[in-house]
Amino acid sequence: MIFVDGLPFSTDSSQERDALVNLLEHPKLVSASNSFEAMQEVKFSASKECALQGRWVYLFQREFATVDPALIDFIGTDEATTCVGLVIRNQRNGMTSVAHMDSTKVVDTGLTQMLSLVVDKNFDVDLDVHLIGGFEDVSPQQANGSTRSKTLAEVDGYSFPLCTKIIETLRKRQEKFHIQTLYVLRHNTRRDSQGNAYPVFNGFLVKTSTGSVIPASFDRTTRCPDEIVRRIRVSVSYEDPTWNAKLLETYDTQNDRFVIAPCSWTLWQEHYALTLQDLSDEEILLQCSSSPSAEGPEFVDNLRRQWDYLTKQPLWNLTFPMRHPRVFEWTADGSWKRCLFSPQDSWNEDGAQTSLQRT
């Protein structure tokens, strides 16, 4: 069930497409979008010069995490183009779950994963919701057109179906979702002089103590721990039946540590990585991105680093021996320490053997 400005949201139409459009035009949510857009984007870094200090959880594409405000100060994500970031926060105790959703296929099960530690089976609790990301990756004329001979992606792009699916699922669930921010699609779209569309913001940060959400971007020092392995999981998880229709698990809420759940890949992935490495940067963008013109400057380099890992480490069970997760704990200085399960579980991100990994 969805609420806006304290009132149940209802629409005359049963179509979720119309429900999303009505929400995008709701005066309360339009005002919230204008306020969000007026904020200055925070550039989050692990350096001491960064204004935001504390403990944080960073999420890559298709990952989710639920955090306790007594333990974690910030949680956030970035690098989103057609993806949507979803924040769900328990008004009573501040428990906050965030997901970086990249497909309609993960929405139903993903929401159940997110809510498992937020609602505590109490459907009467009030939950604040923020949706940020996605943009008009097709023209408004295409999105509103009636040409159904084209594929869904060609007509509606990627962002619109994903946003529609999220709203549909929230409406059908029993929990009470209070939408506070709906900064998606046209609200999160800017255009250059040629009319090309880009997201206004690609990421955000949640301050867990208050639930406030601000635009944010992250540097490589804050996209940790286990950056490369987690990036690889995003692509290979689509071929691993363990993760069918699920969000990827990253953070152990109860024990306050990162537990990178295992994912397997095939030797075909090594072959694919070798093939793509030979492409030009422009060809990589066109072949590997749902929105080539909107990707950030690190997109291609990040892919090349993943492919380099896969060519050096083609066997997934060397990364996840005996299908154990990769576990990281906080250190006294605020960095991460790898916890090794066994002598065999001792590989760093370059595929070389080591006794301990730090990020």
Side-chain angles (χ1 to χ4, degrees):
M1 184 184 302
I2 287 179
F3 292 77
V4 181
D5 203 15
L7 300 174
F9 171 77
S10 61
T11 176
D12 294 334
S13 172
S14 61
Q15 298 297 315
E16 297 305 328
R17 173 189 292 260
D18 295 336
L20 174 59
V21 171
N22 289 340
L23 282 169
L24 287 169
E25 296 174 350
H26 193 288
K28 174 72 174 183
L29 296 179
V30 170
S31 176
S33 290
N34 291 338
S35 297
F36 187 82
E37 185 168 344
M39 295 181 187
Q40 183 174 359
E41 181 184 75
V42 172
K43 299 185 183 301
F44 197 53
S45 171
S47 67
K48 293 182 178 179
E49 289 75 22
C50 180
L52 297 176
Q53 293 296 315
R55 297 175 68 178
W56 72 93
V57 168
Y58 176 83
L59 299 172
F60 287 98
Q61 182 178 335
R62 204 183 174 181
E63 291 185 339
F64 89 102
T66 301
V67 299
D68 184 339
L71 300 173
I72 299 297
D73 301 293
F74 306 100
I75 179 172
T77 187
D78 69 345
E79 299 185 319
T81 53
T82 56
C83 297
V84 175
L86 174 62
V87 181
I88 302 177
R89 183 177 187 270
N90 187 317
Q91 291 183 3
R92 178 174 52 82
N93 59 20
M95 291 293 291
T96 303
S97 192
V98 176
H100 185 135
M101 292 192 169
D102 62 352
S103 167
T104 57
K105 296 178 182 179
V106 302
V107 174
D108 288 319
T109 302
L111 267 169
T112 298
Q113 291 174 277
M114 294 177 70
L115 291 166
S116 62
L117 292 176
V118 174
V119 300
D120 194 23
K121 298 182 180 179
N122 179 8
F123 293 118
D124 194 46
V125 68
D126 291 299
L127 303 171
D128 286 337
V129 172
H130 305 266
L131 280 82
I132 299 165
F135 72 112
E136 287 187 337
D137 48 322
V138 294
S139 69
Q141 289 78 14
Q142 284 179 290
N144 294 324
S146 58
T147 305
R148 305 313 298 178
S149 61
K150 297 183 178 181
T151 66
L152 181 65
E154 289 175 315
V155 176
D156 286 341
Y158 293 90
S159 299
F160 192 90
L162 179 55
C163 292
T164 301
K165 178 62 176 178
I166 294 172
I167 293 301
E168 172 191 4
T169 308
L170 292 175
R171 292 182 71 195
K172 289 180 178 179
R173 291 191 65 104
Q174 296 180 357
E175 296 88 354
K176 296 163 61 177
F177 299 105
H178 296 260
I179 299 187
Q180 305 294 343
T181 309
L182 191 62
Y183 193 76
V184 299
L185 301 173
R186 60 184 174 85
H187 293 305
N188 189 37
T189 301
R190 60 182 175 87
R191 299 184 184 276
D192 62 20
S193 57
Q194 284 76 45
N196 299 311
Y198 306 88
V200 177
F201 296 120
N202 297 90
F204 60 86
L205 192 70
V206 182
K207 186 175 181 180
T208 61
S209 61
T210 63
S212 60
V213 182
I214 56 176
S217 60
F218 299 76
D219 66 14
R220 194 172 293 177
T221 67
T222 54
R223 295 178 184 139
C224 60
D226 222 13
E227 178 205 357
I228 295 300
V229 169
R230 289 167 66 188
R231 287 187 185 277
I232 288 172
R233 288 197 315 165
V234 175
S235 56
V236 302
S237 62
Y238 288 99
E239 298 181 10
D240 185 338
T242 304
W243 296 107
N244 185 34
K246 295 180 181 178
L247 294 170
L248 296 167
E249 297 170 358
T250 55
Y251 173 75
D252 181 351
T253 308
Q254 296 175 328
N255 295 300
D256 187 27
R257 60 182 185 174
F258 264 86
V259 178
I260 312 303
C263 192
S264 61
W265 53 86
T266 65
L267 291 177
W268 179 86
Q269 290 284 344
E270 178 198 14
H271 172 73
Y272 188 60
L274 285 168
T275 302
L276 293 173
Q277 282 281 38
D278 292 333
L279 299 180
S280 68
D281 289 2
E282 182 178 1
E283 289 171 326
I284 290 173
L285 276 169
L286 291 173
Q287 188 160 332
C288 300
S289 172
S290 60
S291 51
S293 63
E295 297 292 355
E298 297 179 314
F299 180 80
V300 172
D301 178 61
N302 289 333
L303 286 176
R304 291 194 186 280
R305 290 190 295 126
Q306 295 170 59
W307 298 333
D308 185 59
Y309 182 100
L310 285 171
T311 57
K312 292 178 180 178
Q313 193 79 291
L315 302 177
W316 68 267
N317 55 6
L318 292 179
T319 300
F320 296 104
M322 299 178 65
R323 208 167 175 87
H324 281 310
R326 293 162 67 90
V327 179
F328 295 80
E329 293 183 341
W330 294 95
T331 63
D333 64 0
S335 59
W336 293 97
K337 179 180 68 174
R338 173 86 181 277
C339 303
L340 303 181
F341 281 101
S342 66
Q344 292 81 16
D345 188 10
S346 54
W347 298 85
N348 66 20
E349 290 189 348
D350 297 320
Q353 213 165 9
T354 182
S355 59
L356 185 68
Q357 178 179 335
R358 291 177 181 269
T359 57

